[in-house]
Amino acid sequence: CVILDVQAACQDATVTQELLKEGFHRDLLVKVELGVVGEDAGGCAVAARTRLPPGIYVDPYELASLQQHNLTKAVLIPDVIDVEAPEYLATDLLVLLYMEPDPQCSRCFRAALPVHGRYHRPAEESEEALVVLKSPEVLVCCCDNRLSAECWKPAEVEAPCSGKNVSPCQWYSVTHKPAYKELILQVPVGLRQHSSLVCVVTLLATVLCSSLILAALCKYGHFS
């Protein structure tokens, strides 16, 4: 477990979120600074529980690959995700993202998670759809259970405290103040007035490619 001080009086944690890269494929960077002080430390793990709206998702296959290389650790609820579904046919996704200690700050933790924007319906005017990500909930899980009931509230989370421990444990919710209450992702969308043009270009490209394939097959194919 991550070593964390749990002795001090109740103080709010500070949470910041940032979207890295551009376009549909981004990295969600979450930083947590716990507002606790003191010298007596207990073994604890820190996680951020966030709800992703239908306009954004996590690829479970990509996540599994990253976890095999110890690049990130997260639990998805549900764990079966339709990565091809558009925004208007998708549902919310709950993510429990395990945090790692920040070497530059003794009370700070951070983690990054690759996220992807879904396709939206064509818009009338704007060429961008806005996807709002609310501030995550900060959770703490301690090995010795020496958390003050006045400062920490039990949270209903069916997940282990760390990647090494496979059995569920008791998580506690930490009072926190987000630096920014919301994070907005701008997803490019098409315009409805371009629908006819897109259909015509798509049809012409399909016919052209099919003709080239058929011509190559007739020229170089061997038929019995």
Side-chain angles (χ1 to χ4, degrees), residues 123-192:
E124 293 290 348
E125 297 179 358
S126 176
E127 296 184 359
E128 292 180 332
L130 302 182
V131 179
V132 179
L133 283 75
K134 296 184 178 180
S135 180
E137 177 185 9
V138 180
L139 300 175
V140 171
C141 174
C142 291
C143 301
D144 51 15
N145 295 321
R146 293 191 299 124
L147 293 177
S148 172
E150 298 178 356
C151 302
W152 319 82
K153 296 181 180 179
E156 296 181 1
V157 179
E158 293 292 334
C161 280
S162 66
K164 298 181 180 179
N165 182 16
V166 296
S167 59
C169 59
Q170 180 60 64
W171 288 90
Y172 290 85
S173 179
V174 181
T175 303
H176 72 282
K177 49 184 179 181
Y180 305 97
K181 294 183 178 179
E182 296 178 344
L183 182 65
I184 299 180
L185 169 64
Q186 297 178 331
V187 179
V189 298
L191 297 177
R192 291 190 177 182

Side-chain angles (χ1 to χ4, degrees), residues 57 60 80-86 89-90 118:
Y57 72 96
V80 178
I81 302 172
D82 186 356
V83 298
E84 300 294 339
L89 295 179
R118 293 188 183 274

